[in-house]
Amino acid sequence: MLLTDMVFAVEFRTLAATCEWNEPALTARFLEGLTGEIKEEILAHNLPSSLDQLVELAIRLDKRFELRRHARAPGPEPQPQSSTVTFPVLTSSEPEPMQLGVSFCEARVVKVPVGPLVHVEGQAISIRCDVSDYEGPRDQDFEWYLVFADKTLQLTSTFEVNFADPSVRDWLNSGDISYHKLGDAAVELKFKKVRATDSGVYRCSTPSTDSVIRGNYHADVELKVIRDSLKVAPAIPKSAVNEGESVDLQCTTTRGFTEHTFLSVTWSIRKGSSPLEEILTFGPDDKIKVGDNYTQRYTDGGLLLDLPGGGFYGLVLRNAKPSDQGGYVCTAQEWVRQGEEGRNWRKILEKSKEMGKVVVTPTEKEEEHPKAIMPDYTNQPDH
């Protein structure tokens, strides 16, 4: 199959974007379809660090070989702009070539969550891994690795008992880390109490049961374990205010780890024995969420945010009412983004502090007295 360099690049990249493969799998898929001379030239040197660079290199090499062929053959001057990337024409005895079409992505896919996965020390966590679009037995096996820049350590396997590297066997034998099958095609790596030293890149791999090696057989995800540095320090509000005055609710919230994490602050009130009622939340995306019973008041300007920075968060309740009497609470929550393109929020930590009770004294209203009725003498007869 012959494709011009531009058509090839666009079509391959377009189809690649629809697959859930990792870059090594796409790289192998791309190399699979190259002609012998281009593939040999590429493999004779270090592979480019990215798929885009590999595609560009293949196009440049194809242009170079095309120019050489034209230089050796009589005829008109070569036209580099019409160069082609050539896919091999196979005989019936050769394996089936890569097909650019609807079947492009029909191959094994191993998936882990999009990282980095940020968790707080001491929490019980798990990392899920799924495999799909595979051939062979319905029940698939899995292997977990810990990947470093200079080496890869074997952690645990669903089928090989002595799989773990000797340096991590005590870790596994203690039960601090283990695996749990979630079905035929899913597994999770579990941490009893995750530690900062557990931070790293974890690889989920599946041994091949396919008739043809195609797709991605492993997926990596980075785990970041941070210490619990979230602090909440509310200022004690004025314990008694008159109706119509303001209630100032000030809360200082800080954290030591700011990369990948975001804060939200919620002000709430507890009236007597009633459950905690949310007044207003700011964050984690710099948006404001108002409690159901305070929507109109916020719209009317009765709730004002004071955000000077430096971890200071303030909320002012203007024109206090007797219904504002109660115990106030400040709650800080630490969040991370997760999912594709960070579309979803996941809460990793929450801390609440009592701010104090506020009594609202109703304003005394002057008692209205009935007006005296003066007698009307205008129509009285003269005596």
Side-chain angles (χ1 to χ4, degrees):
M1 175 171 70
L2 296 178
L3 295 174
T4 65
D5 52 5
M6 183 60 69
V7 172
F8 169 76
V10 171
E11 187 168 353
F12 184 89
R13 286 168 172 155
T14 300
L15 290 172
T18 66
C19 293
E20 296 180 291
W21 299 353
N22 55 22
E23 188 150 299
L26 289 171
T27 298
R29 190 81 155 118
F30 180 78
L31 288 171
E32 180 185 334
L34 296 177
T35 55
E37 61 181 1
I38 296 178
K39 185 188 298 184
E40 289 174 5
E41 181 69 18
I42 290 175
L43 296 179
H45 304 84
N46 292 330
L47 282 177
S49 59
S50 71
L51 178 62
D52 285 342
Q53 292 175 353
L54 177 61
V55 173
E56 291 169 3
L57 175 60
I59 292 172
R60 290 199 306 271
L61 289 173
D62 183 72
K63 288 181 178 181
R64 184 190 306 169
F65 290 138
E66 187 71 13
L67 288 171
R68 288 178 182 175
R69 285 191 290 269
H70 280 285
R72 289 194 296 265
E77 289 295 319
Q79 301 295 324
Q81 65 272 19
S82 63
S83 61
T84 59
V85 173
T86 306
F87 287 82
V89 178
L90 301 180
T91 65
S92 58
S93 61
E94 293 177 300
E96 183 180 355
M98 177 176 73
Q99 300 294 323
L100 291 182
V102 293
S103 62
F104 181 83
C105 297
E106 291 181 0
R108 178 180 294 251
V109 176
V110 176
K111 288 185 66 176
V112 292
V114 177
L117 305 179
V118 181
H119 291 276
V120 179
E121 271 190 314
Q123 296 178 340
I125 72 164
S126 63
I127 304 175
R128 180 178 175 125
C129 178
D130 295 85
V131 61
S132 61
D133 302 328
Y134 56 87
E135 297 176 347
R138 184 174 178 178
D139 188 13
Q140 291 286 294
D141 283 305
F142 294 84
E143 298 167 341
W144 284 97
Y145 299 82
L146 184 55
V147 181
F148 297 95
D150 57 343
K151 61 181 178 179
T152 300
L153 294 181
Q154 297 180 175
L155 287 181
T156 185
S157 168
T158 61
F159 68 98
E160 189 175 339
V161 177
N162 296 319
F163 180 79
D165 187 90
S167 63
V168 299
R169 284 178 184 167
D170 289 343
W171 189 21
L172 289 164
N173 293 335
S174 68
D176 289 338
I177 184 172
S178 60
Y179 76 83
H180 175 64
K181 282 292 290 286
L182 300 173
D184 293 332
V187 69
E188 62 180 0
L189 186 66
K190 302 179 68 175
F191 297 79
K192 186 183 293 184
K193 287 186 177 181
V194 74
R195 305 165 299 180
T197 53
D198 297 336
S199 297
V201 176
Y202 290 82
R203 172 171 295 169
C204 176
S205 178
T206 58
S208 175
T209 58
D210 306 320
S211 58
V212 177
I213 302 297
R214 181 173 291 172
N216 69 297
Y217 288 79
H218 72 264
D220 296 349
V221 61
E222 182 183 7
L223 172 65
K224 282 182 175 287
V225 183
I226 63 175
R227 62 184 179 87
D228 179 357
S229 62
L230 183 62
K231 295 181 180 179
V232 183
I236 300 175
K238 189 176 178 181
S239 60
V241 297
N242 294 321
E243 183 178 358
E245 294 180 344
S246 295
V247 178
D248 293 334
L249 304 173
Q250 302 174 5
C251 189
T252 301
T253 300
T254 59
R255 69 198 190 283
F257 186 86
T258 57
E259 186 182 9
H260 303 301
T261 66
F262 303 82
L263 284 181
S264 70
V265 176
T266 299
W267 292 268
S268 306
I269 184 172
R270 180 178 287 109
K271 301 175 182 179
S273 59
S274 300
L276 203 61
E277 180 181 356
E278 179 183 343
I279 301 173
L280 183 144
T281 297
F282 176 75
D285 50 2
D286 292 339
K287 293 182 180 179
I288 295 172
K289 177 188 174 187
V290 183
D292 293 340
N293 293 331
Y294 290 85
T295 303
Q296 188 60 50
R297 189 169 180 179
Y298 176 77
T299 303
D300 295 339
L303 301 179
L304 297 179
L305 274 175
D306 181 18
L307 305 172
F312 178 90
Y313 297 82
L315 178 65
V316 179
L317 278 64
R318 300 175 63 189
N319 299 319
K321 307 172 184 178
S323 59
D324 293 329
Q325 181 168 297
Y328 288 88
V329 176
C330 175
T331 301
Q333 298 174 326
E334 196 166 2
W335 301 79
V336 293
R337 292 184 180 274
Q338 68 176 19
E340 297 292 339
E341 300 178 358
R343 296 173 184 171
N344 303 318
W345 290 98
R346 178 173 59 85
K347 182 173 63 177
I348 61 173
L349 199 58
E350 177 178 304
K351 290 185 179 180
S352 295
K353 291 287 186 178
E354 299 281 346
M355 303 184 74
K357 294 183 178 180
V358 175
V359 175
V360 179
T361 304
T363 301
E364 293 185 3
K365 297 181 180 180
E366 294 184 3
E367 185 178 351
E368 294 185 0
H369 298 282
K371 294 182 179 180
I373 301 176
M374 301 298 293
D376 184 2
Y377 298 103
T378 57
N379 295 323
Q380 296 295 325
D382 294 334
H383 295 285

